Amino acid sequence: MKLQQLRFIWEVAHSNFNISRAAQSLYTSQPGISKQIRALEQELGTDIFVRNGKHLSKLTPAGEKIIATAGEVLNKVSAIQSIAQEFTAQGHGSLNIATTHTQSRYILPQVIKSFINNYPDVSLNMHQGTPMQISQMASDGTADFAIATEALELFTDLVMMPCFHWNRAILVPRDHPLCHESKITLASVAAFPIVTYVYGFTGRSKLDEAFQKAKLEPKVVFTAVDADVIKTYVRLGLGIGILASMAIEERDEDLVSIDASHLFDYSTTSIGFQRETYLRSYMYDFIEMFAPHLTREVIQEAIRQHGKPGAERYFETMDIPVR
């Protein structure tokens, strides 16, 4: 069994079983990958992939376990390489971040600017996607860190640390009736068409929970993953916008922002990474730049607590900032 073979089967499994795509990612040939997969299956005495003619369609039951273990081995190899680089090429390396549009657009720019100024020789790569895609990228090692509000808790192999709490604002045109209410209610909000986030994005679940608890049926007429798109349709008069307060900017002065934190429970943005990840010094620094309360000592304790009963309570007494 060769390490290269493990890389091949891992990449094929994560390329939707498309050997050509895996070959492009690995800068090798399709026949070479097919040959090595067959050689590994013969050595192990079991098929890893189910085949439909010449095409791979899914993993066999044995293949599912083999791929999971191969991922662990590859992560360990990556950790060994990171340890060596920490001593031989300090300040050099790469950092892959997976996050949503909201975080990359409104929260991360200044953090990334500071990080690049401090670590000019670290290649920083950002991947955007849905919360589920982001969490999966961290879980399978495609990304070092996942930053999101939703879905991270579904991946129990990730160490999750709360970065900040946030809530929502209601965005309306300047002549909207809600501008004249002293304190809006859920009932008054439900009386108007609503433009907000797609379910599963940017704390949308908290919005739905609030209306369900109040036994109200909101009229959501348009959804989007991008706060700027939501603002555009509010300007067109399609409905009132409900979006993250952090997405309100000075340039939105043509619209009126109404605080809605009394209507909805706060949401929490977290950062997650594999417990086995070897965190280099610049990785610790990035986390602390993003969330100053997450010092190296706090992060290391969170790693030690991960997987233990009641580990989620570690952060309960900590002063998590609100944005």
Side-chain angles (χ1 to χ4, degrees):
M1 185 186 306
K2 302 175 183 177
L3 188 61
Q4 182 188 52
Q5 293 173 325
L6 299 184
R7 288 197 177 97
F8 284 175
I9 63 172
W10 172 264
E11 191 63 35
V12 169
H14 290 82
S15 297
N16 198 27
F17 307 105
N18 187 314
I19 297 179
S20 296
R21 189 184 305 166
Q24 291 176 351
S25 299
L26 295 169
Y27 302 101
T28 188
S29 68
Q30 179 179 343
I33 289 182
S34 297
K35 180 180 178 181
Q36 289 301 319
I37 290 176
R38 280 296 191 188
L40 180 59
E41 288 178 324
Q42 289 175 4
E43 179 183 347
L44 296 176
T46 186
D47 287 341
I48 298 171
F49 299 97
V50 175
R51 290 170 172 81
N52 290 329
K54 295 183 179 180
H55 301 287
L56 308 182
S57 59
K58 62 180 181 179
L59 293 170
T60 65
E64 291 180 0
K65 295 183 180 297
I66 290 169
I67 290 295
T69 303
E72 294 173 5
V73 172
L74 294 173
N75 287 336
K76 291 294 186 183
V77 171
S78 178
I80 291 171
Q81 293 170 334
S82 294
I83 292 170
Q85 290 172 350
E86 184 73 358
F87 289 91
T88 61
Q90 197 170 31
H92 292 70
S94 64
L95 178 58
N96 291 283
I97 301 164
T99 190
T100 61
H101 169 84
T102 299
Q103 303 299 329
S104 62
R105 169 70 175 79
Y106 299 104
I107 300 298
L108 281 168
Q110 288 304 314
V111 175
I112 289 175
K113 180 180 179 181
S114 297
F115 180 84
I116 291 175
N117 286 338
N118 290 344
Y119 295 99
D121 295 317
V122 173
S123 173
L124 200 153
N125 308 291
M126 185 181 293
H127 310 270
Q128 289 189 45
T130 68
M132 185 63 71
Q133 291 169 337
I134 290 162
S135 301
Q136 184 63 59
M137 281 189 272
S139 182
D140 65 24
T142 303
D144 299 303
F145 298 145
I147 300 173
T149 299
E150 311 261 8
L152 285 177
E153 71 280 356
L154 301 178
F155 291 78
T156 56
D157 58 327
L158 297 181
V159 178
M160 292 190 306
M161 300 180 296
C163 299
F164 57 88
H165 302 312
W166 58 270
N167 217 305
R168 292 143 192 83
I170 293 173
L171 208 58
V172 297
R174 288 196 169 276
D175 58 351
H176 197 277
L178 286 180
C179 296
H180 307 297
E181 293 195 18
S182 57
K183 190 173 185 179
I184 62 172
T185 65
L186 277 176
S188 60
V189 172
F192 296 96
I194 294 172
V195 181
T196 191
Y197 298 106
V198 172
Y199 188 81
F201 274 80
T202 320
R204 167 68 189 274
S205 57
K206 297 293 186 182
L207 185 150
D208 292 337
E209 289 169 6
F211 284 112
Q212 289 170 5
K213 187 176 180 180
K215 298 182 179 179
L216 293 170
E217 187 69 33
K219 185 180 180 183
V220 178
V221 296
F222 183 83
T223 61
V225 301
D226 185 331
D228 291 330
V229 174
I230 293 173
K231 296 173 190 177
T232 296
Y233 284 89
V234 170
R235 289 185 172 99
L236 289 174
L238 193 65
I240 64 173
I242 304 179
L243 67 170
S245 297
M246 60 183 137
I248 307 298
E249 301 176 292
E250 289 184 5
R251 66 176 183 171
D252 299 320
E253 58 185 10
D254 59 317
L255 300 172
V256 175
S257 173
I258 304 171
D259 178 49
S261 59
H262 62 290
L263 301 179
F264 308 104
D265 288 339
Y266 66 76
S267 293
T268 302
T269 292
S270 297
I271 187 166
F273 57 88
Q274 291 180 342
R275 187 180 189 279
E276 295 78 15
T277 299
Y278 177 80
L279 296 179
R280 296 188 59 185
S281 294
Y282 62 76
M283 293 179 171
Y284 280 110
D285 286 350
F286 176 87
I287 295 175
E288 192 168 357
M289 287 178 187
F290 184 64
H293 63 286
L294 297 178
T295 62
R296 181 184 290 250
E297 293 73 22
V298 170
I299 296 167
Q300 291 174 343
E301 182 59 27
I303 294 171
R304 285 191 289 268
Q305 293 288 335
H306 180 69
K308 296 181 180 179
E312 66 280 358
R313 294 196 294 270
Y314 172 61
F315 292 100
E316 286 183 358
T317 60
M318 196 168 293
D319 186 19
I320 311 297
V322 178
R323 289 188 176 178

